[in-house]
Amino acid sequence: MLSRRVVLPSLAAAAAMGAVGIAPPALAQAQTPLAAWSDGPTRQRILDFVKATTDQTSRDFVPAEQRVATFDQDGTLWVEHPMYTQVIYCLDRVPVVVKAKPELARAEPFKTVLSGNREAIAKLSLADLEKILVATLTGMTVDEFRGEVQSWLETARHPRWQRPYTELVYQPMLELLNLFRANGYKTYIVTGGGQDFVRVYAERVYGIPPEQVVGTAGGTRYGLGQQGQPVLIKDPKLLLNDDHAGKPEGIHLMIGRRPVAAFGNSTGDQQMLEYTTIGDGARLGGLVHHDDAVREYAYGPALGLPPTKVGTFTQALYDEAKQRGWLVISMKHDWKRLFPFDPPA
Amino acid sequence: MLSRRVVLPSLAAAAAMGAVGIAPPALAQAQTPLAAWSDGPTRQRILDFVKATTDQTSRDFVPAEQRVATFDQDGTLWVEHPMYTQVIYCLDRVPVVVKAKPELARAEPFKTVLSGNREAIAKLSLADLEKILVATLTGMTVDEFRGEVQSWLETARHPRWQRPYTELVYQPMLELLNLFRANGYKTYIVTGGGQDFVRVYAERVYGIPPEQVVGTAGGTRYGLGQQGQPVLIKDPKLLLNDDHAGKPEGIHLMIGRRPVAAFGNSTGDQQMLEYTTIGDGARLGGLVHHDDAVREYAYGPALGLPPTKVGTFTQALYDEAKQRGWLVISMKHDWKRLFPFDPPA
């Protein structure tokens, strides 16, 4: 666990920032904003930031067209354990791919995946994983891919909660998205996950339209199909690896503006938060800290736990967050409820 | 010139479509929409299309979030003769680049550019041009680049009109952009030109924000500068060649939705128009035809003129436009005025 000594100074700083005598916020949102967030300095600092950047009389006012807020997805907007959802999708697709190309059944890494041996699957190398991604994410039209993901999302269930993955989104973050949008911000997902994958459900689940989803992206090949219809075939060529330094690069490519606020949960988001927060004017960075082993998971070296295959919140990142004034959002303490649904008692 | 035999059938078809008995359009636009367009079937078909796709009672109604209209830039929104504006920019930048790297003064193609010999410059090969583009468009931060383009735009003048290039935009197309936007469409530029270049002025000139400019894009390299500030360095690596088949590919990458309407003026726009118009529901494609040698330029094989280095409107493209029902917008006949300014008498 993080020591109180480490946590307290940043809380004190946040509390001080929240107590500079601004009148009670009259934020443009019908109901109580951030209702699933505990009262406290984290919630207050977010409310103060949104108020300051949208109040024309504030020195931190940001013109409407520049109000861009970016959000990582895995571990920030939805659960990323025990594996990234998209990786589970790819593994689940392997039998279908092998059915179409039976010769793959005897080739690695497909043989291991088909064996269902979880331990062996967990040990697959990055190179193996890449073969699986290429086989399951490319070669079809973008429309076929969308249909395949949609079908999978309808039936796949998270092993712990036995619910569709798209229900395992964090209620506090949905409220945060809504708060920003209600105050004239454009909200973007900036994910290391596949852009085409996330776009399938982002509008329905997060209220974020496809054109505001920036993610790892491969090329497509355009042509006219056999019936003369336009088709775009998903290609293995990687155009954008939207993680780490690739996040600011992707933001420049796809948005062309520096965000005013950015939220993440791991070292993959470090450069996006630096890009967003270093500079003049009001800026807000936030990191979701998975420190709630009871309601969700607790992981990462910041908790003295071993690193995982998914997003890592390292001590170095924690130290940088403190130094740069980023919010460290404690899942355990800052969030009253985690999910839109009521968890089993 | 195009024969009347070729032109008349498409005009008749357009007139027929405009005469299906729809009540006078009550389009959401304060002043007369498309005021710089001549009354006639082209203007009417556009008005009818916008009305049909935004009228909830119409079978061609398009929900607001799907209203995407894409526009080529060079030759569609602004003048592309005698050369693409961005190429002129690159040539103009060569002396600055050579000043910083004097050894280039004796190396081709820089030597030729510095000579000022227009004939020799016009004969530069594509490989030469690429060297010039790399030298003048990459290696600096994106902020430095933006500043360089801004400064150039303030002083550079078009050789014929002696006005800033950003004034040589087509008034009818500005009105068309406004008409679409006033009716809930998101308007995008989808240009073979450089995305970073066009983004510098697109918001001011066209009302199109940077995140809605899709163009040819190179990579960037993110890092922290000497003062610890975030910097993105423009890299020669080409990510997206946003021309021909690259346009639908770029639209998928950057927007993730198929447009409902698309406008261009050359074979570089052919695939974007096919992608946009082939399919169910109301769809509109349009090509600007440069057939006005007096007020602007007339060029391309469709006019019996030799192909130029810039956008080509071939006979094959003209035939496809007719076959697919794309609007062929005659600059000479469909546009009452060309530019926002009053041309010299």
Side-chain angles (χ1 to χ4, degrees):
Chain A
M1 295 290 283
L2 285 165
S3 72
R4 285 176 60 83
R5 192 173 51 81
V6 174
V7 175
L8 284 176
S10 68
L11 289 185
M17 290 190 66
V20 287
I22 296 169
L27 292 160
Q29 180 142 305
Q31 301 172 313
T32 306
L34 306 185
W37 293 66
S38 310
D39 277 334
T42 302
R43 177 175 180 275
Q44 195 56 50
R45 202 170 138 205
I46 295 170
L47 293 172
D48 291 345
F49 176 83
V50 172
K51 183 169 166 48
T53 55
T54 55
D55 174 353
Q56 285 214 338
T57 66
S58 161
R59 70 190 172 102
D60 288 333
F61 178 71
V62 176
E65 71 274 12
Q66 290 172 28
R67 290 181 205 154
V68 167
T70 56
F71 297 80
D72 169 58
Q73 182 190 228
D74 293 302
T76 300
L77 296 179
W78 74 355
V79 173
E80 66 181 354
H81 262 280
M83 257 190 276
Y84 293 135
T85 305
Q86 189 179 353
V87 174
I88 301 171
Y89 168 79
C90 292
L91 294 173
D92 280 1
R93 285 293 299 175
V94 166
V96 186
V97 169
V98 169
K99 203 172 172 187
K101 289 186 187 176
E103 67 274 19
L104 290 181
R106 287 177 304 275
E108 289 297 354
F110 305 97
K111 198 174 156 188
T112 295
V113 175
L114 291 172
S115 76
N117 180 335
R118 281 169 183 274
E119 266 184 55
I121 292 170
K123 279 183 193 152
L124 288 175
S125 69
L126 267 182
D128 284 337
L129 204 59
E130 201 175 306
K131 280 183 199 162
I132 294 166
L133 299 190
V134 167
T136 54
L137 300 177
T138 71
M140 70 294 285
T141 71
V142 298
D143 291 335
E144 286 164 354
F145 177 72
R146 190 182 302 118
E148 289 165 7
V149 175
Q150 266 165 346
S151 302
W152 181 81
L153 286 173
E154 282 166 21
T155 55
R157 295 291 179 271
H158 190 282
R160 176 164 166 187
W161 288 276
Q162 291 299 321
R163 285 180 173 269
Y165 288 94
T166 48
E167 291 187 18
L168 295 171
V169 292
Y170 304 128
Q171 175 66 21
M173 296 305 286
L174 296 180
E175 294 173 0
L176 188 58
L177 289 169
N178 281 334
L179 175 72
F180 274 107
R181 286 196 290 259
N183 285 277
Y185 277 83
K186 263 192 178 174
T187 55
Y188 286 85
I189 289 174
V190 178
T191 174
Q195 183 167 281
D196 282 347
F197 184 83
V198 179
R199 280 175 170 176
V200 173
Y201 55 84
E203 192 151 31
R204 172 173 64 84
V205 174
Y206 304 118
I208 295 181
E211 63 268 29
Q212 286 163 228
V213 174
V214 178
T216 295
T220 52
R221 277 174 293 116
Y222 173 79
L224 294 183
Q226 292 193 333
Q227 279 82 44
Q229 81 283 15
V231 286
L232 284 162
I233 310 280
K234 284 172 68 63
D235 200 85
K237 187 188 168 193
L238 184 68
L239 292 185
L240 173 67
N241 183 2
D242 195 48
D243 210 5
H244 299 280
K247 289 208 174 190
E249 292 161 11
I251 288 168
H252 177 72
L253 177 69
M254 304 282 203
I255 311 175
R257 300 188 195 267
R258 249 173 97 186
V260 178
F263 294 84
N265 77 305
S266 81
T267 50
D269 304 307
Q270 179 191 352
Q271 289 83 356
M272 174 169 77
L273 264 73
E274 290 173 353
Y275 180 57
T276 300
T277 62
I278 304 175
D280 298 335
R283 305 186 157 275
L284 185 65
L287 289 167
V288 174
H289 196 187
H290 293 260
D291 57 359
D292 193 335
V294 175
R295 294 189 299 174
E296 204 233 21
Y297 300 98
Y299 50 93
L303 291 163
L305 299 170
T308 63
K309 273 209 169 181
V310 294
T312 47
F313 194 149
T314 61
Q315 186 64 44
L317 182 64
Y318 187 88
D319 295 342
E320 182 175 3
K322 276 204 323 173
Q323 181 230 320
R324 298 201 188 275
W326 298 339
L327 284 171
V328 175
I329 299 163
S330 163
M331 188 168 271
K332 188 170 180 177
H333 300 289
D334 288 323
W335 289 357
K336 283 199 282 196
R337 73 180 294 162
L338 256 57
F339 300 116
F341 60 88
D342 284 314
Chain B
M1 297 289 282
L2 285 166
S3 72
R4 286 175 61 83
R5 192 172 51 83
V6 174
V7 174
L8 283 177
S10 68
L11 290 185
M17 291 190 65
V20 287
I22 296 169
L27 291 160
Q29 181 143 303
Q31 301 172 314
T32 307
L34 306 185
W37 293 65
S38 309
D39 275 334
T42 303
R43 176 174 181 276
Q44 195 56 50
R45 202 170 139 205
I46 294 169
L47 293 173
D48 291 345
F49 176 83
V50 172
K51 183 169 163 50
T53 55
T54 56
D55 174 353
Q56 286 212 338
T57 66
S58 161
R59 70 189 174 104
D60 289 332
F61 178 72
V62 176
E65 71 275 11
Q66 290 171 28
R67 290 181 205 155
V68 168
T70 56
F71 297 80
D72 169 57
Q73 183 191 226
D74 293 301
T76 299
L77 296 180
W78 75 355
V79 173
E80 66 181 354
H81 262 280
M83 258 189 276
Y84 293 136
T85 304
Q86 189 178 353
V87 174
I88 301 172
Y89 169 78
C90 292
L91 295 174
D92 281 1
R93 285 293 300 174
V94 165
V96 185
V97 169
V98 169
K99 203 171 170 189
K101 288 186 187 174
E103 68 275 16
L104 290 180
R106 289 178 303 276
E108 289 297 356
F110 304 98
K111 199 175 156 186
T112 295
V113 176
L114 291 172
S115 76
N117 180 334
R118 280 169 183 274
E119 268 183 54
I121 292 170
K123 280 183 194 151
L124 289 174
S125 68
L126 267 182
D128 284 337
L129 204 59
E130 200 174 307
K131 280 183 198 162
I132 294 165
L133 300 190
V134 168
T136 54
L137 299 177
T138 71
M140 70 293 284
T141 71
V142 298
D143 291 335
E144 286 164 355
F145 177 72
R146 189 183 302 117
E148 289 164 8
V149 175
Q150 266 164 346
S151 301
W152 181 81
L153 287 173
E154 282 166 20
T155 54
R157 294 292 179 271
H158 190 282
R160 176 165 166 186
W161 288 276
Q162 291 299 319
R163 287 181 173 267
Y165 288 93
T166 49
E167 290 186 19
L168 295 171
V169 292
Y170 304 127
Q171 176 65 24
M173 296 305 285
L174 296 180
E175 294 172 359
L176 188 57
L177 289 169
N178 280 334
L179 175 72
F180 275 108
R181 286 194 290 260
N183 285 277
Y185 276 83
K186 263 193 178 174
T187 55
Y188 286 85
I189 290 175
V190 178
T191 174
Q195 182 166 281
D196 282 347
F197 184 83
V198 180
R199 280 175 170 175
V200 174
Y201 55 84
E203 192 152 30
R204 172 173 63 83
V205 173
Y206 303 119
I208 295 181
E211 62 268 29
Q212 285 163 229
V213 175
V214 178
T216 294
T220 52
R221 278 175 292 116
Y222 173 81
L224 294 183
Q226 292 193 331
Q227 279 81 45
Q229 81 282 18
V231 287
L232 285 162
I233 310 279
K234 284 173 67 64
D235 199 84
K237 186 189 169 193
L238 185 69
L239 293 185
L240 173 66
N241 183 3
D242 195 48
D243 211 4
H244 300 279
K247 289 207 175 190
E249 292 161 10
I251 289 168
H252 177 72
L253 178 68
M254 302 282 204
I255 310 176
R257 298 188 196 269
R258 249 173 97 185
V260 178
F263 294 84
N265 77 305
S266 80
T267 49
D269 304 306
Q270 179 193 353
Q271 289 84 354
M272 174 169 76
L273 265 71
E274 291 174 352
Y275 181 56
T276 301
T277 62
I278 304 174
D280 297 335
R283 306 186 158 275
L284 185 65
L287 288 167
V288 174
H289 196 188
H290 293 260
D291 58 358
D292 193 334
V294 176
R295 293 188 300 174
E296 205 234 21
Y297 300 98
Y299 50 94
L303 291 163
L305 299 170
T308 63
K309 274 210 170 182
V310 295
T312 47
F313 195 148
T314 60
Q315 186 62 46
L317 182 63
Y318 187 88
D319 295 342
E320 183 174 3
K322 277 204 322 171
Q323 182 230 321
R324 297 199 188 275
W326 299 339
L327 285 172
V328 175
I329 299 163
S330 163
M331 188 169 271
K332 189 171 179 176
H333 300 289
D334 289 324
W335 289 357
K336 284 200 281 196
R337 73 181 293 163
L338 257 57
F339 300 116
F341 60 87
D342 285 315

